[in-house]
Amino acid sequence: MLKGKIVKALSGFYYVQDGNSVYPCKGRGNFRKRKITPLVGDNVSFEMDENEEGYILDIDERQNELVRPPIANIDQAMIVASVVEPEFRTILMDRFLVLIESKNITPMIVLTKTDLVDDEELEKLESYKEDYEKLGYTVIVGSSKEEDGLLGITPYLEGKTTVIAGQSGVGKSSMLNALKPHLDLETNDISKSLGRGKHTTRHVELIEMYGGLIADTPGFSSLEFQDLEYDELPDCFPEMREHGEYCKFRGCLHNKEPKCAVKAAVEEGEIPSYRYEHYLQFLEEIQNRKPRY
């Protein structure tokens, strides 16, 4: 029996890497009976038969998994956001951060297309960068079109499995091409009439890059909080984890409760007001969510 990691899933085949070799494999029929689907990122046991056809026999326990995109055992998520085209929106960034935090994946933020903005916009961007860095997030700012513009990312890739997240059109594939030019991933210019990009990545694949594995995926097709309960939301905001310890009531939702340390921190300017506003919006969204049957 051989051991390896699934690095690509395409047309019913799972491509398993063992050392320097990659083997196309199929899943055993009992996976279907047990309602288990092998995912890119899975560590698996497999075998090759006399016809050099591979079969996955077993899947190791996962440290985490995402449904959209379908991938497992992720160490960190790189949230890519453009400064313009489409413009940077903190509410979208915070939505991505919450979804990633809820899966116990470490987020980092990459802001692209800085070559397309003036000094005033860059100053505003620097302010947001400082806000997110104070929360403990790593923030990289640069442009795929400038030489060495995004090389600040590379030290964070070593020894990690990284998934890329971000709305369509922000330059995820362009960034990967800039980091590893011979990849030549398909990119589409943004459609100005729609203000958003076309999906250009159609399957999930782990690519070796700078001593780690990076996932070029179709992106997060759903940004809804379907799997998150309202009382879990505060734990997805680092500033609320920190200040929430000092609230008077255990289980404080930092909304209408008295003597709330989080609300006090917002009033004192220790927590950016837009972060708190987004938290309240997300809380209301989850509390008003229709139950799934």
Side-chain angles (χ1 to χ4, degrees):
M1 199 176 344
L2 301 165
K3 298 282 286 183
K5 181 186 282 287
I6 298 176
V7 293
K8 183 167 74 169
L10 188 64
S11 302
F13 282 91
Y14 303 98
Y15 294 81
V16 180
Q17 183 164 1
D18 176 17
N20 294 323
S21 301
V22 176
Y23 303 91
C25 297
K26 289 198 166 185
R28 281 289 192 203
N30 64 353
F31 287 139
R32 200 175 298 115
K33 289 175 192 168
R34 289 154 57 198
K35 296 185 177 176
I36 296 171
T37 302
L39 297 177
V40 169
D42 273 335
N43 298 306
V44 300
S45 304
F46 69 104
E47 67 179 7
M48 305 298 292
D49 66 15
E50 62 275 9
N51 298 318
E52 290 299 303
E53 291 179 346
Y55 294 91
I56 294 170
L57 305 176
D58 199 19
I59 300 170
D60 292 357
E61 187 178 349
R62 295 166 179 158
Q63 84 185 43
N64 53 42
E65 66 180 276
L66 296 173
V67 176
R68 292 182 293 266
I71 189 167
N73 300 318
I74 306 135
D75 297 308
Q76 63 185 3
M78 193 184 294
I79 307 169
V80 183
S82 57
V83 188
V84 290
E85 295 185 4
E87 69 177 303
F88 179 68
R89 294 167 59 212
T90 53
I91 191 164
L92 194 59
M93 174 57 65
D94 290 343
R95 189 173 279 273
F96 272 113
L97 287 168
V98 166
L99 286 166
I100 288 160
E101 291 264 11
S102 72
K103 299 292 184 183
N104 297 314
I105 299 168
T106 302
M108 66 180 289
I109 298 168
V110 179
L111 301 175
T112 66
K113 302 189 183 180
T114 53
D115 56 311
L116 300 178
V117 294
D118 57 25
D119 291 345
E120 187 180 335
E121 287 291 327
L122 279 176
E123 197 174 312
K124 193 197 299 184
L125 191 69
E126 189 61 34
S127 171
Y128 288 134
K129 179 176 182 283
E130 287 174 12
D131 286 346
Y132 285 108
E133 285 177 333
K134 281 178 190 170
L135 299 174
Y137 296 122
T138 299
V139 184
I140 309 282
V141 178
S143 169
S144 306
K145 294 190 177 176
E146 292 175 352
E147 194 171 353
D148 301 335
L150 289 170
L151 286 183
I153 294 168
T154 58
Y156 296 97
L157 301 179
E158 188 171 355
K160 307 269 189 185
T161 297
T162 304
V163 66
I164 295 183
Q167 71 181 125
S168 189
V170 296
K172 298 187 292 291
S173 293
S174 296
M175 183 190 73
L176 286 174
N177 284 333
L179 290 171
K180 197 166 183 179
H182 75 266
L183 275 178
D184 198 25
L185 295 169
E186 181 187 349
T187 59
N188 279 341
D189 288 334
I190 194 154
S191 164
K192 288 187 184 293
S193 61
L194 294 174
R196 56 192 172 89
K198 300 170 185 173
H199 289 285
T200 52
T201 313
R202 295 181 182 87
H203 66 274
V204 180
E205 181 173 2
L206 289 174
I207 301 161
E208 287 191 69
M209 197 178 289
Y210 295 98
L213 293 168
I214 195 161
D216 185 33
T217 78
F220 285 62
S221 57
S222 173
L223 292 177
E224 295 178 2
F225 302 126
Q226 288 296 344
D227 301 320
L228 190 63
E229 299 303 325
Y230 70 87
D231 56 350
E232 296 171 330
L233 183 63
D235 284 337
C236 299
F237 282 76
E239 64 270 47
M240 297 192 189
R241 291 198 296 265
E242 180 188 344
H243 291 280
E245 293 181 17
Y246 305 102
C247 292
K248 182 176 181 181
F249 297 102
R250 185 178 294 177
C252 180
L253 289 177
H254 322 306
N255 185 8
K256 296 172 183 174
E257 298 87 345
K259 298 191 178 177
C260 170
V262 167
K263 287 193 284 187
V266 175
E267 287 168 12
E268 290 163 17
E270 292 177 38
I271 294 175
S273 58
Y274 64 85
R275 285 277 294 174
Y276 181 61
E277 287 162 15
H278 297 162
Y279 166 79
L280 292 179
Q281 281 183 248
F282 299 161
L283 183 64
E284 185 181 6
E285 180 182 327
I286 294 169
Q287 288 175 326
N288 293 336
R289 180 178 61 203
K290 289 180 181 175
R292 287 185 295 175
Y293 298 104

